[in-house]
Amino acid sequence: MKTTNEETTTNFRCGTVALLGRPNVGKSTLMNRIIGVKVAIVTPKPQTTRHRILGIHTDEQSQMVFVDTPGIHKGEQQLNRNMVRVAYAAAEEADVLAIMQDCTQPLDRGTRALIERFADGRLTQPRIHVLNKIDRANKDKLLPRLQLMQQLDAGAKAFVPISARKGKQVDALMRELMQCLPQRPAMYEPDWFTDQSQRQLAAEYVREQVFLSMHQEIPFQTAVDIEQFVEVGDGKLEIEAVILVGSERHKPMLIGRGGEQMKRIGIQAREGLEVLLDCRVNLKLWVKVDRDWFNNPGKLMDLGLNG
Ligand SMILES: Nc1nc2c(ncn2[C@@H]2O[C@H](COP(=O)(O)OP(=O)(O)O)[C@@H](O)[C@H]2O)c(=O)[nH]1
Ligand SMILES: [Mg+2]
């Protein structure tokens, strides 16, 4: 005989959706759009997302657990190799694969190779191709692009053009994803929206501002470590973060003339965190030089970037 719990959950669907694709196609933007909160930081720079990040969307019929992954790219450093491994591991474990591309860009070799790699059927989960950034795309090129995708992956479940930034067609994508989810009860409490701790979110919000402020290769050689995260009464949080830079010469570039840039990074990160955590935040930032941290397995482990 069925238990009451089983009866009430028989029609409920729950599963994981891996968001896969090259850097910068809009994976994190889509996840934030669906969750309604910034759970994954977004910048115009590739390789902003370093960890596997969960965004949990729950409604009456389903719980969709989105797995935002680092973009699939080539890179020589240990950090880059770890990031790509994280993306493929997430794909293997997911119930549905959402394979994203930027349809404002011509289909480059890397994107094609990625699509072919998933289309070969080694992974048996349903695949949905997401053609993002239609708000900027040339309308005449969209149909031929969709036709090409159908040729490249005839076994895919669906091809959905969307704009993650504007929220266009995201509901259509959600309907497609929902149909691919297995029937099973929720895995997370309905009010959970991510698996990241507040500490991890604080580090990410600081890193977002560093990425937005710095140019060329510098942001890719920075990381953020939270050294202190305490409540100091009245629900106010005191957070101390260390920004690691890869070279002595990056330090003044990060701090800026008269400390102006650093101040701006601190203000922006604090404002974002106050909205997210719904409390007042006192954020203190320090800068530390740690040469080659991105090749140091011990340091990558400390930062949770060991893949
Ligand atoms: N025009 C446009 N830009 C977008 C859209 N989605 C994401 N972007 C931008 O593309 C850049 C990369 O987005 P992000 O979500 O970090 O990509 P990810 O590397 O795949 O996670 C950011 O500057 C986003 O604002 C979209 O639908 N339309
Ligand atoms: Mg991302």
Side-chain angles (χ1 to χ4, degrees):
M1 224 176 89
K2 280 182 173 177
T3 66
T4 329
N5 194 25
E6 266 175 312
E7 259 162 12
T8 52
T9 55
T10 34
N11 292 323
F12 196 85
R13 289 173 185 266
C14 171
T16 50
V17 179
L19 296 172
L20 303 160
R22 304 275 290 165
N24 246 22
V25 296
K27 299 177 291 297
S28 298
T29 305
L30 174 61
M31 188 164 89
N32 292 341
R33 162 68 60 183
I34 292 169
I35 309 304
V37 193
K38 189 162 68 188
V39 276
I41 60 170
V42 170
T43 80
K45 297 189 171 65
Q47 297 157 48
T48 302
T49 308
R50 287 178 176 164
H51 308 78
R52 187 204 66 142
I53 294 174
L54 297 192
I56 304 159
H57 179 272
T58 309
D59 60 23
E60 269 101 64
Q61 292 104 41
S62 69
Q63 181 168 78
M64 286 187 207
V65 181
F66 290 88
V67 189
D68 186 18
T69 64
I72 295 172
H73 64 286
K74 286 206 170 88
E76 293 306 313
Q77 287 162 349
Q78 188 66 46
L79 171 64
N80 294 82
R81 287 199 295 268
N82 290 356
M83 283 160 70
V84 173
R85 197 163 55 229
V86 165
Y88 281 115
E92 278 176 22
E93 289 165 14
D95 294 301
V96 189
L97 309 181
I99 305 166
M100 279 184 85
Q101 58 186 280
D102 176 348
C103 62
T104 64
Q105 301 292 322
L107 192 73
D108 59 286
R109 269 186 29 212
T111 306
R112 186 186 271 264
L114 186 140
I115 290 164
E116 286 169 349
R117 177 160 179 172
F118 285 113
D120 74 3
R122 255 179 298 177
L123 294 182
T124 53
Q125 302 96 318
R127 296 182 296 279
I128 293 181
H129 288 275
V130 183
L131 284 72
N132 190 29
K133 310 198 187 181
I134 53 166
D135 55 299
R136 286 273 176 82
N138 180 338
K139 299 271 177 302
D140 302 335
K141 293 203 174 137
L142 195 56
L143 194 58
R145 179 72 161 248
L146 277 164
Q147 287 166 339
L148 176 59
M149 285 306 123
Q150 276 156 354
Q151 282 168 18
L152 286 177
D153 190 2
K157 200 101 182 56
F159 301 84
V160 191
I162 68 159
S163 167
R165 184 185 274 177
K166 305 268 182 202
K168 271 196 218 160
Q169 290 291 103
V170 173
D171 46 353
L173 174 62
M174 294 290 276
R175 282 194 295 275
E176 291 289 350
L177 292 172
M178 163 98 160
Q179 287 175 15
C180 298
L181 294 183
Q183 288 194 348
R184 70 162 92 98
M187 293 188 276
Y188 295 92
E189 295 291 323
D191 57 347
W192 277 35
F193 60 85
T194 186
D195 65 335
Q196 298 168 95
S197 64
Q198 294 187 340
R199 231 183 143 99
Q200 286 167 322
L201 285 161
E204 287 291 273
Y205 271 53
V206 173
R207 198 164 61 79
E208 178 177 50
Q209 294 308 322
V210 173
F211 263 57
L212 289 171
S213 308
M214 308 291 286
H215 301 293
Q216 289 157 357
E217 84 288 3
I218 304 172
F220 309 116
Q221 300 184 11
T222 59
V224 178
D225 212 1
I226 301 294
E227 301 226 315
Q228 170 100 279
F229 189 105
V230 283
E231 226 181 284
V232 287
D234 295 345
K236 190 173 180 176
L237 281 174
E238 196 158 288
I239 305 175
E240 282 186 30
V242 173
I243 304 173
L244 296 177
V245 293
S247 125
E248 200 64 58
R249 109 195 126 79
H250 292 169
K251 199 171 166 175
M253 295 163 94
L254 176 63
I255 294 169
R257 197 172 292 148
E260 274 306 310
Q261 180 162 262
M262 196 65 172
K263 211 156 126 194
R264 209 170 46 240
I265 289 172
I267 291 170
Q268 305 276 350
R270 175 179 57 75
E271 286 177 355
L273 281 168
E274 287 186 333
V275 172
L276 179 82
L277 305 174
D278 196 22
C279 66
R280 280 191 306 138
V281 171
N282 184 12
L283 178 64
K284 289 187 190 147
L285 299 178
W286 314 97
V287 185
K288 208 164 106 185
V289 181
D290 187 344
R291 272 186 215 91
D292 219 34
W293 65 264
F294 35 83
N295 276 317
N296 176 343
K299 193 71 216 175
L300 291 173
M301 178 94 86
D302 278 356
L303 294 165
L305 295 169
N306 43 320

